[in-house]
Amino acid sequence: MSTEKVIAEVARLTAIANEKFAPHIFIVPTVKFSSLGRCVGTAHLDRNALSFNVDLLKVAPEKLITDTVPHEMAHLVHYALRPQDFRKGSRLGHGRYWKMVARMLGLADPTRCAGWADTETCEAAGMKTTKVHKYTCVTCGNTGLAGPRVHAKVQRGKIYLFAKCRHNLTANCYTGATS
Ligand SMILES: [Zn+2]
Ligand SMILES: [Zn+2]
């Protein structure tokens, strides 16, 4: 099960954090899986908890485990070490310190967007969620998800690339399915 792999990866990254940031002690966060709309994952900073999008986990488990899990874990570690960076209105959430932590947790190229066709991680729990549209690559059968903005542009003829296979994502790839 992919959910078990995610839980195992969270535990593994917690162990890495404990090693790299000793003597600070990190407790393995609570992990939840739910339908988060277009959100890939969320870090609940004050509760030491992570939520991951169960629908996205089904279509792209590897990407979620290699990109989103360390991305969100890095927010928890950053918050534990430097809570002052999270004052209201602060824009350090994806700043230099977060990037450093994310790299230490094995994320090669930390960016604000977790790298999905259009979806970004949302940081605040309870952020308004919107529908995602499912696309299948007509060249190789790879699947991808588009948020409403990208979906509308694709339907008007704009061509994007699938994040995974880099083939063209066009209106022909739309499966008609939405979640
Ligand atoms: Zn983030
Ligand atoms: Zn493809």
Side-chain angles (χ1 to χ4, degrees), residues 71-72 75 94 98 112 121 123:
H71 179 117
E72 300 302 336
H75 285 311
H94 296 100
W98 171 80
R112 186 188 184 283
T121 53
E123 308 313 330

Side-chain angles (χ1 to χ4, degrees), residues 124-138:
M127 176 175 160
K128 198 166 157 260
T129 57
T130 46
K131 285 185 176 328
V132 289
H133 302 272
K134 292 176 184 157
Y135 282 78
T136 302
C137 176
V138 291

Side-chain angles (χ1 to χ4, degrees), residues 56-69:
L56 290 164
L57 184 62
K58 271 179 217 150
V59 292
E62 275 168 38
K63 190 153 183 59
L64 193 137
I65 289 165
T66 55
D67 284 7
T68 313
V69 171

Side-chain angles (χ1 to χ4, degrees), residues 24-164:
H24 193 101
I25 292 165
F26 296 91
I27 295 160
V28 178
T30 312
V31 181
K32 278 190 192 148
F33 300 93
S34 49
S35 284
L36 297 171
R38 70 187 283 270
C39 289
V40 187
T42 304
H44 307 276
L45 301 172
D46 49 350
R47 283 189 277 137
N48 192 37
L50 299 170
S51 298
F52 296 105
N53 190 320
V54 73
D55 304 315
L56 290 164
L57 184 62
K58 271 179 217 150
V59 292
E62 275 168 38
K63 190 153 183 59
L64 193 137
I65 289 165
T66 55
D67 284 7
T68 313
V69 171
H71 179 117
E72 300 302 336
M73 256 317 276
H75 285 311
L76 290 184
V77 172
H78 180 186
Y79 179 71
L81 295 169
R82 289 172 58 132
Q84 69 273 22
D85 286 356
F86 292 81
R87 276 190 299 251
K88 225 183 165 79
S90 164
R91 304 176 82 174
L92 296 169
H94 296 100
R96 222 190 287 167
Y97 196 83
W98 171 80
K99 285 200 174 96
M100 187 270 286
V101 173
R103 280 200 194 94
M104 286 173 95
L105 295 178
L107 194 60
D109 183 24
T111 49
R112 186 188 184 283
C113 172
W116 303 79
D118 168 54
T119 50
E120 285 180 0
T121 53
C122 36
E123 308 313 330
M127 176 175 160
K128 198 166 157 260
T129 57
T130 46
K131 285 185 176 328
V132 289
H133 302 272
K134 292 176 184 157
Y135 282 78
T136 302
C137 176
V138 291
T139 310
C140 73
N142 165 47
T143 53
L145 298 168
R149 221 159 21 97
V150 166
H151 176 67
K153 284 186 186 168
V154 171
Q155 293 305 309
R156 274 185 261 126
K158 190 163 162 78
I159 296 167
Y160 285 83
L161 295 178
F162 279 94
K164 202 167 166 187

